[in-house]
Amino acid sequence: MVNKQSPLPIYYQLAEEIKQLIRSGELAPGDLLPSEREYAEKYNISRMTVRQAINNLVTEGLIYRQKGRGTFIADRKFEQNLAGLTSFSEDMKKRGLTPSSKLLSFQLIEPDEATLENLSLGANEKVYEIVRIRMASDLPVAVETSYIPWKVAGDLQEADWPDSFYQFIEEKLGLTIAYGDQTIEAVLASDFEISHLNIEQGSPVLLMQRITHLHDEPKTPLEYVKSAYRADKYKFRMRMNR
Amino acid sequence: MVNKQSPLPIYYQLAEEIKQLIRSGELAPGDLLPSEREYAEKYNISRMTVRQAINNLVTEGLIYRQKGRGTFIADRKFEQNLAGLTSFSEDMKKRGLTPSSKLLSFQLIEPDEATLENLSLGANEKVYEIVRIRMASDLPVAVETSYIPWKVAGDLQEADWPDSFYQFIEEKLGLTIAYGDQTIEAVLASDFEISHLNIEQGSPVLLMQRITHLHDEPKTPLEYVKSAYRADKYKFRMRMNR
DNA sequence: CCTATATAGTGGTATAGACAACTAGTATTT
DNA sequence: AAATACTAGTTGTCTATACCACTATATAGG
């Protein structure tokens, strides 16, 4: 239900409402959505505002438009066949490996400007910087640095830190994770990575960077992670539909 | 230049004009674009129309916006969005770049056992082996080797080979591509790759391997590709939902 | 010289309306 | 029964305007 008193933009609320109907199964692939004018009348908002909500859902691949016909729910398979957003721990368990990690550093800092920007934070806001060696069945496979805004996690001590941050967020804080935007690139290992991953000078690593967003106010960034994976022991696999 | 008499939508013309400035190098990464209001005044069009053009360029990753500051040209590092199965040519065009390729080798061979297995072929079956340098706006970005079974493509000469194999399959052969299974890993460039991509010894490359399948009953493997992308110029991007 | 405030710029969000182009259903004509 | 025309719906494109929130710069005051 669109609430004009809410601080959330109206287009965003409408988009979320439609997403919820899709998630719950109340709207199934192929179903026709109400028209733009119907939404505008129903919520007493402008058709352009409705269109912005619809545009966002189209961009996310959840719905599609046909001129002169209407707006339809997209085939669910498109989304389902993408690899889902999981934490390192969840990934390793899925592969039948024992995930563990060795904490190298845990501190509350004022991060650099790029990190502030990635997390949509203002100047002087603090984040937890956590540096860990990620291991699969006792073999170091990645060096990971994650940044979590203090305002998301609150006051936490090193001993409090969970192995799976995503489960912590969902179960202990009761927040909902929406999605992550991630890039993968290849770089040469830094000295720091070389020493902690037991690899040689000149070895490449797979550098994965991910910003994870909450399911709330326009997608609060929850965490920014940089992980350098041993390229000799790690590759990513995925299926993409045509 | 925006021409209101043109049958093309105004927002589309403006988007193309900006793309052309980016392509030509006249606008470089980090450059500030004229403001939305400036474009609106310059072409005597509404700010909402300008915003639509800008929205499209943002969605394509060519530019980015900063509230209160302006709209900027995005970094040119090539990012492949791993949302859908597309050919190299299709990806580059989507990015406003001119895809092209230089053919190094084209031959009908009996491949090694691993390639036979990847393509679900029996012993002694032949495949086309095509080795190309893939270029984006005349810059070599990848070395690609693809294997296509003779029984899929039939008798073809080198000159017949299309730039976009997927479009060829769908339009000329009337077949339907279903999906591709792909892996991404980081390796050090081979000598062959080093010489053709103009990179130094010890440079990493992103190695992408993909098997593409048709939409028929046994999901016939259509193509097996190995591509080595310059790691300094290429990264993959994706969004994953929770 | 430093700090606070004001101003002028930016993008973000929203409203209201109009016309074009397309689609699907219905009515009419042959 | 089939073809054609009409109508009412849809999305697509565009205009004009207003206000909010943010950022950067200039200016004034201590």
Side-chain angles (χ1 to χ4, degrees):
Chain A
M1 214 21 139
V2 166
N3 170 17
K4 289 190 174 181
Q5 268 72 56
S6 172
L8 294 174
I10 295 173
Y11 76 83
Y12 177 83
Q13 294 180 57
L14 177 55
E16 285 303 304
E17 169 179 314
I18 297 170
K19 278 187 199 173
Q20 187 52 44
L21 291 170
I22 296 172
R23 259 182 244 121
S24 72
E26 200 169 326
L27 284 174
D31 280 2
L32 178 69
L33 275 173
S35 71
E36 294 169 5
R37 290 189 178 83
E38 278 179 272
Y39 275 121
E41 285 167 30
K42 178 178 176 183
Y43 295 127
N44 196 26
I45 62 181
S46 90
R47 201 186 138 217
M48 298 323 297
T49 302
V50 175
R51 284 184 65 79
Q52 176 154 1
I54 303 292
N55 283 345
N56 288 357
L57 298 171
V58 168
T59 298
E60 287 179 43
L62 295 174
I63 65 178
Y64 64 95
R65 283 175 156 127
Q66 284 190 329
K67 182 174 181 177
R69 290 188 71 205
T71 308
F72 300 85
I73 307 302
D75 190 351
R76 193 89 56 101
K77 288 174 190 172
F78 174 84
E79 191 176 28
Q80 285 171 344
N81 277 281
L82 297 175
L85 175 63
T86 51
S87 68
F88 175 87
S89 303
E90 289 165 344
D91 271 340
M92 291 302 106
K93 283 170 183 168
K94 235 185 274 179
R95 281 172 237 252
L97 297 168
T98 306
S100 60
S101 58
K102 177 183 172 185
L103 187 67
L104 298 184
S105 165
F106 181 104
Q107 51 187 352
L108 193 61
I109 62 162
E110 289 190 15
D112 62 13
E113 193 174 337
T115 300
L116 285 174
E117 190 171 342
N118 280 330
L119 290 167
S120 301
L121 297 174
N124 306 122
E125 288 195 74
K126 288 180 183 287
V127 306
Y128 291 101
E129 179 191 71
I130 303 144
V131 186
R132 284 182 284 188
I133 308 302
R134 292 291 208 172
M135 293 180 279
S137 298
D138 295 329
L139 175 76
V141 296
V143 175
E144 179 186 284
T145 303
S146 67
Y147 300 93
I148 292 133
W150 174 86
K151 71 181 183 182
V152 168
D155 280 317
L156 278 177
Q157 299 307 312
E158 190 174 312
D160 293 329
W161 212 259
D163 283 336
S164 174
F165 181 59
Y166 287 174
Q167 288 180 344
F168 168 79
I169 286 293
E170 291 177 329
E171 292 166 14
K172 291 297 195 283
L173 300 189
L175 300 172
T176 307
I177 296 173
Y179 66 91
D181 279 329
Q182 167 172 310
T183 61
I184 296 174
E185 58 197 298
V187 297
L188 288 173
S190 68
D191 289 342
F192 185 79
E193 285 148 7
I194 287 165
S195 67
H196 285 102
L197 294 176
N198 302 326
I199 53 181
E200 294 178 358
Q201 286 280 354
S203 296
V205 293
L206 276 165
L207 179 60
M208 192 264 289
Q209 298 188 65
R210 177 194 286 176
I211 304 173
T212 306
H213 295 256
L214 281 177
H215 224 308
D216 63 3
E217 167 197 7
K219 312 207 171 73
T220 302
L222 160 66
E223 180 186 39
Y224 166 47
V225 183
K226 290 189 285 189
S227 301
Y229 290 84
R230 287 183 60 158
D232 58 345
K233 299 225 173 270
Y234 215 87
K235 63 183 179 183
F236 294 96
R237 175 180 294 274
M238 67 217 72
R239 171 168 293 188
M240 287 118 70
N241 296 309
R242 179 56 167 164
Chain B
M1 214 24 137
V2 166
N3 170 16
K4 289 189 175 184
Q5 267 71 55
S6 172
L8 293 174
I10 295 173
Y11 77 83
Y12 179 86
Q13 294 178 56
L14 177 55
E16 286 300 306
E17 169 180 312
I18 297 170
K19 276 187 199 176
Q20 187 50 43
L21 291 171
I22 295 173
R23 263 182 237 125
S24 71
E26 198 169 327
L27 286 175
D31 279 3
L32 180 69
L33 273 174
S35 72
E36 293 171 2
R37 289 177 181 85
E38 279 178 275
Y39 275 120
E41 282 168 33
K42 178 178 176 183
Y43 296 127
N44 196 26
I45 62 182
S46 89
R47 200 183 139 216
M48 301 321 298
T49 301
V50 175
R51 282 183 66 80
Q52 176 154 0
I54 303 293
N55 284 346
N56 289 358
L57 298 173
V58 168
T59 299
E60 288 176 41
L62 294 175
I63 65 178
Y64 64 96
R65 281 173 158 131
Q66 284 190 331
K67 184 174 180 178
R69 290 188 72 207
T71 308
F72 301 85
I73 307 302
D75 189 83
R76 262 211 52 195
K77 188 169 191 176
F78 307 115
E79 292 179 353
Q80 183 171 345
N81 194 333
L82 300 177
L85 177 61
T86 50
S87 69
F88 176 88
S89 303
E90 288 165 343
D91 277 337
M92 292 301 108
K93 281 172 186 167
K94 232 187 276 177
R95 224 175 306 268
L97 296 166
T98 307
S100 60
S101 59
K102 177 182 172 187
L103 188 67
L104 298 184
S105 164
F106 181 102
Q107 51 188 353
L108 193 61
I109 63 163
E110 289 189 13
D112 62 14
E113 193 175 339
T115 301
L116 285 174
E117 187 172 346
N118 280 329
L119 290 167
S120 302
L121 298 173
N124 308 120
E125 288 197 72
K126 288 183 182 289
V127 306
Y128 291 101
E129 180 192 72
I130 303 145
V131 185
R132 286 181 282 187
I133 309 301
R134 292 291 209 173
M135 292 180 278
S137 297
D138 296 326
L139 176 76
V141 297
V143 175
E144 180 186 282
T145 304
S146 68
Y147 301 94
I148 291 132
W150 174 88
K151 71 179 183 183
V152 167
D155 280 316
L156 276 179
Q157 299 305 313
E158 188 175 314
D160 294 322
W161 211 261
D163 282 334
S164 174
F165 180 61
Y166 287 176
Q167 287 181 344
F168 169 80
I169 287 295
E170 288 174 331
E171 293 167 12
K172 291 295 195 288
L173 301 188
L175 301 171
T176 307
I177 296 173
Y179 63 90
D181 278 331
Q182 167 173 310
T183 63
I184 295 173
E185 58 198 298
V187 298
L188 289 172
S190 67
D191 289 340
F192 184 80
E193 286 149 6
I194 287 164
S195 67
H196 285 101
L197 294 175
N198 301 323
I199 54 182
E200 295 178 358
Q201 287 280 354
S203 295
V205 293
L206 277 163
L207 180 62
M208 194 262 287
Q209 301 188 64
R210 175 194 286 176
I211 305 172
T212 306
H213 296 256
L214 284 175
H215 220 310
D216 58 9
E217 178 41 46
K219 293 293 185 282
T220 305
L222 161 69
E223 180 186 41
Y224 168 47
V225 183
K226 288 187 289 189
S227 300
Y229 291 85
R230 286 184 59 160
D232 61 336
K233 297 228 172 273
Y234 215 88
K235 65 183 176 182
F236 296 97
R237 172 180 291 277
M238 71 217 70
R239 171 168 291 187
M240 287 118 70
N241 295 308
R242 181 54 170 166

